[in-house]
Amino acid sequence: MLDTWNDGPAKSAVVDFVQRVTAAGGPDFVEPASRVAVFDNDGTLWCEKPAYIQLDFLIRRLAQQTAADASLRERQPYRAAVDGDLKWFGDAVTKHYQGDNSDLKVLGAAVLSANVAITTEEHAARVNEFFVHAKHPTLGRPYTTCGYAPMVELLRHLEANAFTCYIVSGGGRDFMRPVTGPMYGIPPERVIGSSVGLIYQNGSLVTTAQPEFLDDGPVKPVRIWGRTGKRPIFAAGNSNGDIEMLEYTDTGPGPSLSMLVLHDDAEREFDYTAGAEKALERAAKSGWTVASIKSDWIRVFRD
Amino acid sequence: MLDTWNDGPAKSAVVDFVQRVTAAGGPDFVEPASRVAVFDNDGTLWCEKPAYIQLDFLIRRLAQQTAADASLRERQPYRAAVDGDLKWFGDAVTKHYQGDNSDLKVLGAAVLSANVAITTEEHAARVNEFFVHAKHPTLGRPYTTCGYAPMVELLRHLEANAFTCYIVSGGGRDFMRPVTGPMYGIPPERVIGSSVGLIYQNGSLVTTAQPEFLDDGPVKPVRIWGRTGKRPIFAAGNSNGDIEMLEYTDTGPGPSLSMLVLHDDAEREFDYTAGAEKALERAAKSGWTVASIKSDWIRVFRD
């Protein structure tokens, strides 16, 4: 049980929590139907550095679009995609945080139209094709092996104790779904994420270029309720976008555990707190469990 | 198995379909994970005449609001609610179909604000309170006993064959959730319906007066995909608003069964086809299974 976790405060907190909520007749017992656990994906279940895995999927698609229509070559973000200019994509986000939204707007429009006007089946085929070939740029392993073994073990530990686990990510719902089964044992109906709007046409669902959900920050609790009709009692995240989800879990009437994964292992994975500053502050203040990759995980990946 | 169904074409179609998709090695075998079934609620799982059950919930709330603020007494739909003038509510819909939206707009605004600015927990408490007391106006039975016994038996038959069943209704998602467990054995995470938007505030989810989903017609397939990431292989409905859901199921690549419940039993339930004309036409054209309450159901209610 939790063999990939070192003995320490994070493992103890999980073991103790699970024992309390499953102890029939105990003061913290929770009915199995209410044992809902939610997990962020990027940086919580798989790597998000040096860039979101979905950004690689996007850039390949932008390059494909440019190959089919050379006139796109002169415009961003297509030029950056073809040139492999990852810095342009990173700068667009940095500029946004500095108050200049111009590049982010250009990027957003391209994101929304990258996979427009195809059926959900065609979209799944594009995603599957990507995952067959694509590898992590610095770790060298297929993206499908970039899941964190201790977190997958945690999913199984919770399920073995009658929890139902959901993924709740800012990443694309239909980008994640084809791989969450093989990677994490989480079926499509338990994947919550961002999405463009879909329209029904002649027996098929077709993608539009309109955003429907941006599943981040305060939207995460809304989408968790929309999907489950329940308040989770366990939540794991790693960034500022997870604070509301962790808080929603933490402020429920009964026992709960909110966990933050801390990326502090440059040797085996990555070492960064950018984008997680507020979450870490809040974790310290509210007594949330911090899982240090360096100290708490015996292994990072499965193979 | 299906003891509340008379032997006949509808029962045979269901039994045959289930046998085919569960026959390991057979040409129509479907993996358990893909055995998704969807059921409309109003008129498919419980009564919708003489008025939607949720309309009773609404009218009681409007009367409550009027009791708290007498100035509402002069305005519609509050006046109609206090006077028990059900005809005004029916006429608002009729006028809409005749091209006059004025009353429907007034009604819509009242619907959206009837339960505004309360937490999801408070909303559930209002719904539970309603179902404790409210009875069907002509059948005389508590609404919680207005579920159709043959359809509940069908849910169990499908589940016994490794199907996962969802409710997909134009009715309010969070209006249905408190009773779908006890009435149908369907947990909140498998209830898809209409909803106002929710916002996250200080650890709680709070209702707004903004519509988020109107889960009807072509929106039903969109919401089914959003929730499940799968195309159903079994669907049951009863009205024009179910056509796209039944078609989406019917046009999948493998075996499927689309069923329409026909209300033709004035003695035991109700006899009407208004609002189902196109669905019945389509059922005849596409060979969908029609379940006649009068001919196919041995009993209508459980008790």
Side-chain angles (χ1 to χ4, degrees):
Chain A
M1 185 180 73
L2 298 181
D3 294 333
T4 56
W5 290 71
N6 280 311
D7 291 328
K11 179 174 177 173
S12 294
V14 171
V15 170
D16 173 65
F17 170 71
V18 171
Q19 280 173 349
R20 283 190 293 122
V21 301
T22 56
D28 286 340
F29 178 75
V30 175
E31 293 292 339
S34 299
R35 293 181 203 160
V36 172
V38 291
F39 288 77
D40 170 59
N41 188 34
D42 295 303
T44 300
L45 292 178
W46 73 1
C47 300
E48 61 177 355
K49 294 294 175 187
Y52 292 123
I53 293 173
Q54 195 170 355
L55 183 63
D56 190 356
F57 176 65
L58 172 71
I59 288 175
R60 287 166 198 242
R61 174 68 194 146
L62 297 178
Q64 232 176 27
Q65 289 178 288
T66 311
D69 174 3
S71 74
L72 294 174
R73 183 74 181 78
E74 304 309 311
R75 288 163 47 195
Q76 293 294 21
Y78 304 95
R79 189 166 61 213
V82 174
D83 295 346
D85 178 8
L86 288 180
K87 190 172 172 302
W88 185 89
F89 291 91
D91 287 353
V93 177
T94 306
K95 280 185 189 172
H96 159 71
Y97 283 117
Q98 293 167 344
D100 175 2
N101 272 322
S102 53
D103 282 0
L104 197 71
K105 270 172 114 168
V106 166
L107 178 58
V111 168
L112 290 169
S113 64
N115 291 291
V116 73
I118 56 172
T119 66
T120 48
E121 287 84 359
E122 288 165 339
H123 186 267
R126 283 189 189 170
V127 172
N128 280 319
E129 167 71 12
F130 167 76
F131 279 111
V132 168
H133 297 296
K135 285 192 173 180
H136 190 283
T138 62
L139 298 171
R141 53 174 60 240
Y143 284 130
T144 47
T145 65
C146 286
Y148 303 134
M151 296 304 283
V152 174
E153 201 187 8
L154 176 53
L155 289 166
R156 295 294 90 75
H157 178 59
L158 292 171
E159 287 173 1
N161 286 280
F163 279 73
T164 304
C165 299
Y166 291 82
I167 293 173
V168 183
S169 170
R173 179 190 69 201
D174 292 341
F175 173 70
M176 295 182 281
R177 278 174 161 167
V179 291
T180 57
M183 289 188 69
Y184 311 129
I186 300 292
E189 63 269 27
R190 292 198 260 116
V191 176
I192 300 171
S194 299
S195 181
V196 295
L198 301 173
I199 46 169
Y200 180 74
Q201 274 178 353
N202 306 318
S204 288
L205 293 169
V206 177
T207 55
T208 71
Q210 299 301 313
E212 182 172 23
F213 303 124
L214 180 57
D215 187 40
D216 199 35
V219 178
K220 287 196 173 189
V222 175
R223 301 260 63 83
I224 290 168
W225 178 268
R227 187 70 71 88
T228 69
K230 293 169 185 169
R231 185 194 289 261
I233 64 167
F234 182 101
N238 77 300
S239 80
N240 297 342
D242 298 315
I243 292 175
E244 288 86 351
M245 174 172 85
L246 295 162
E247 180 185 75
Y248 182 54
T249 301
D250 186 34
T251 54
S256 66
L257 193 151
S258 292
M259 170 185 281
L260 212 58
V261 174
L262 175 64
H263 295 268
D264 57 358
D265 192 332
E267 205 167 307
R268 297 188 301 173
E269 202 243 0
F270 298 96
D271 182 359
Y272 61 97
T273 55
E277 303 88 343
K278 288 180 192 170
L280 287 162
E281 256 176 54
R282 178 61 190 274
K285 194 179 131 202
S286 297
W288 294 346
T289 298
V290 174
S292 153
I293 293 184
K294 188 167 186 169
S295 315
D296 289 311
W297 291 1
I298 293 174
R299 314 165 53 182
V300 177
F301 303 108
R302 189 161 48 186
D303 43 58
Chain B
M1 187 179 73
L2 298 182
D3 294 333
T4 55
W5 291 70
N6 280 310
D7 291 327
K11 180 174 176 174
S12 294
V14 170
V15 169
D16 172 67
F17 170 71
V18 170
Q19 279 174 350
R20 284 190 291 121
V21 301
T22 57
D28 285 338
F29 179 75
V30 175
E31 292 292 340
S34 298
R35 293 180 203 161
V36 172
V38 290
F39 288 77
D40 171 58
N41 188 33
D42 295 302
T44 300
L45 292 179
W46 73 4
C47 300
E48 61 177 356
K49 294 291 174 189
Y52 292 124
I53 293 173
Q54 195 171 355
L55 183 64
D56 190 357
F57 177 65
L58 172 72
I59 289 175
R60 286 166 199 241
R61 174 67 195 148
L62 297 178
Q64 233 176 26
Q65 290 178 289
T66 311
D69 174 1
S71 74
L72 295 173
R73 184 74 181 78
E74 303 310 312
R75 289 164 45 196
Q76 293 294 20
Y78 304 95
R79 191 167 57 214
V82 173
D83 295 345
D85 177 9
L86 288 180
K87 189 169 172 304
W88 184 90
F89 292 91
D91 287 352
V93 177
T94 307
K95 280 186 189 172
H96 159 70
Y97 283 118
Q98 294 167 345
D100 174 3
N101 272 322
S102 53
D103 282 359
L104 197 70
K105 269 172 115 170
V106 166
L107 177 58
V111 168
L112 291 169
S113 65
N115 290 291
V116 72
I118 56 172
T119 66
T120 47
E121 287 86 357
E122 288 165 339
H123 186 268
R126 283 189 189 170
V127 172
N128 280 319
E129 168 71 11
F130 167 75
F131 279 110
V132 168
H133 298 297
K135 286 193 174 182
H136 191 283
T138 63
L139 299 172
R141 52 174 60 241
Y143 284 130
T144 46
T145 64
C146 286
Y148 303 133
M151 296 304 283
V152 174
E153 201 187 9
L154 176 53
L155 288 166
R156 295 295 91 74
H157 179 59
L158 292 170
E159 286 173 1
N161 285 280
F163 279 72
T164 304
C165 299
Y166 292 82
I167 293 173
V168 182
S169 170
R173 179 190 70 201
D174 292 341
F175 174 70
M176 295 181 281
R177 277 174 162 169
V179 292
T180 57
M183 289 188 67
Y184 312 128
I186 300 293
E189 63 268 27
R190 291 198 260 116
V191 177
I192 301 171
S194 299
S195 181
V196 294
L198 301 173
I199 46 169
Y200 180 74
Q201 275 178 351
N202 306 317
S204 288
L205 293 169
V206 176
T207 55
T208 71
Q210 299 300 313
E212 182 172 23
F213 303 124
L214 180 56
D215 188 40
D216 198 34
V219 177
K220 287 197 173 188
V222 175
R223 301 260 64 83
I224 291 168
W225 179 269
R227 187 70 71 88
T228 69
K230 293 169 186 170
R231 185 194 288 261
I233 64 167
F234 181 100
N238 77 300
S239 80
N240 297 342
D242 298 315
I243 292 175
E244 287 86 351
M245 174 173 84
L246 295 162
E247 181 186 75
Y248 182 55
T249 302
D250 187 35
T251 53
S256 67
L257 193 151
S258 292
M259 169 184 283
L260 212 58
V261 174
L262 175 65
H263 294 269
D264 57 358
D265 192 332
E267 206 167 308
R268 297 188 300 172
E269 202 243 1
F270 298 97
D271 183 0
Y272 61 98
T273 54
E277 303 88 344
K278 289 181 191 169
L280 287 162
E281 258 176 53
R282 179 60 189 273
K285 195 178 131 201
S286 297
W288 295 346
T289 298
V290 174
S292 152
I293 294 184
K294 188 167 186 169
S295 314
D296 289 312
W297 291 1
I298 293 176
R299 316 165 52 181
V300 177
F301 303 108
R302 190 161 47 187
D303 43 55

